[in-house]
Amino acid sequence: MLNKEQIAQRIAKEVQNGQYINLGIGIPTLVANYIPKNLDVVLQSENGLLGIGPFPKESEVDPDLINAGKQTITMVPGSVLFNSAESFAMIRGGHVHLTILGAMEVSENGDIANWKIPGKMVKGMGGAMDLVASAENIIVAMQHCSKDGQSKLLPECTLPITGIRCVKKIVSDLAVLEISPEGGFILKERAPGVSVEEIQTKTAGKLIIDGPVPEMSFN
């Protein structure tokens, strides 16, 4: 199975030149460290920053410079700071090409649940609902199963929904999957050492296998 860094590394291969990208809290923030140097992309944080760089070295840490997950970050040349109203105007206006975020559940129709577990206190829903309703492309970074072994890729989400029919691709610790327009998880790649049979066993939703499934490549 992949660790969090490897999930981020694989997702970085999906990044295209010229994109404006929002990175969600958790695994998605690690993607910034693996974007190829030859690509000209701009990373946006909904708390008001356009132009996020890699995580800082200890000597570079600025406690006043944080992302939406309250992690310290760096800025690249040409970065811009602004308020949340302007940030969400960018998001709601459809100016973010790619959103990468985590999820607690994804359904076979591309629904996502990632903001609340009933009975547990949350500080707020954050910007996820705006992001999934507005971005051109949404990729989910997640663990395939919960800590107790239950699949997170389901026929229907059981937790409160963040957005419907919005997820395009999932990169989990076991596989790369795309959402079929007709419903179902299309298995595109598998993690090194992970069998198709294991992925089938750990996917509760409809799994579509169309021919041989290659192992992931990180080059």
Side-chain angles (χ1 to χ4, degrees), residues 167-179:
V167 175
K168 301 294 190 297
K169 183 172 287 187
I170 301 158
V171 180
S172 77
D173 52 346
L174 299 182
V176 176
L177 309 105
E178 293 180 358
I179 300 294

Side-chain angles (χ1 to χ4, degrees), residues 128-150:
M129 290 186 182
D130 294 274
L131 288 161
V132 300
S134 306
E136 292 178 9
N137 187 18
I138 296 169
I139 299 176
V140 170
M142 66 187 299
Q143 305 295 324
H144 211 94
C145 297
S146 61
K147 291 180 180 179
D148 61 358
Q150 299 299 309

Side-chain angles (χ1 to χ4, degrees), residues 80-103:
V80 182
L81 298 167
F82 39 85
N83 63 37
S84 292
E86 289 179 285
S87 177
F88 279 91
M90 294 175 190
I91 293 168
R92 295 169 184 168
H95 303 292
V96 176
H97 301 119
L98 173 62
T99 288
I100 303 168
L101 71 173

Side-chain angles (χ1 to χ4, degrees), residues 26-173:
I27 297 173
T29 60
L30 302 173
V31 174
N33 295 331
Y34 296 103
I35 295 174
K37 302 295 185 185
N38 63 318
L39 295 186
D40 182 16
V41 300
V42 180
L43 302 181
Q44 193 251 20
S45 183
E46 63 258 38
N47 62 320
L49 171 60
L50 202 61
I52 303 171
F55 284 119
K57 298 175 183 177
E58 189 172 350
S59 60
E60 300 172 329
V61 170
D62 180 347
D64 292 323
L65 193 59
I66 60 173
N67 61 20
K70 299 181 177 61
Q71 297 168 304
T72 53
I73 52 175
T74 59
M75 297 170 64
V76 299
S79 295
V80 182
L81 298 167
F82 39 85
N83 63 37
S84 292
E86 289 179 285
S87 177
F88 279 91
M90 294 175 190
I91 293 168
R92 295 169 184 168
H95 303 292
V96 176
H97 301 119
L98 173 62
T99 288
I100 303 168
L101 71 173
M104 293 178 280
E105 294 178 347
V106 177
S107 81
E108 61 189 39
N109 289 321
D111 303 341
I112 181 173
N114 78 340
W115 76 277
K116 181 178 176 65
I117 297 176
K120 291 193 176 183
M121 189 186 77
V122 293
K123 295 180 180 178
M125 64 186 68
M129 290 186 182
D130 294 274
L131 288 161
V132 300
S134 306
E136 292 178 9
N137 187 18
I138 296 169
I139 299 176
V140 170
M142 66 187 299
Q143 305 295 324
H144 211 94
C145 297
S146 61
K147 291 180 180 179
D148 61 358
Q150 299 299 309
S151 178
K152 294 183 175 183
L153 277 61
L154 307 170
E156 295 182 356
C157 292
T158 63
L159 295 172
I161 297 290
T162 307
I164 61 171
R165 296 182 178 272
C166 54
V167 175
K168 301 294 190 297
K169 183 172 287 187
I170 301 158
V171 180
S172 77
D173 52 346

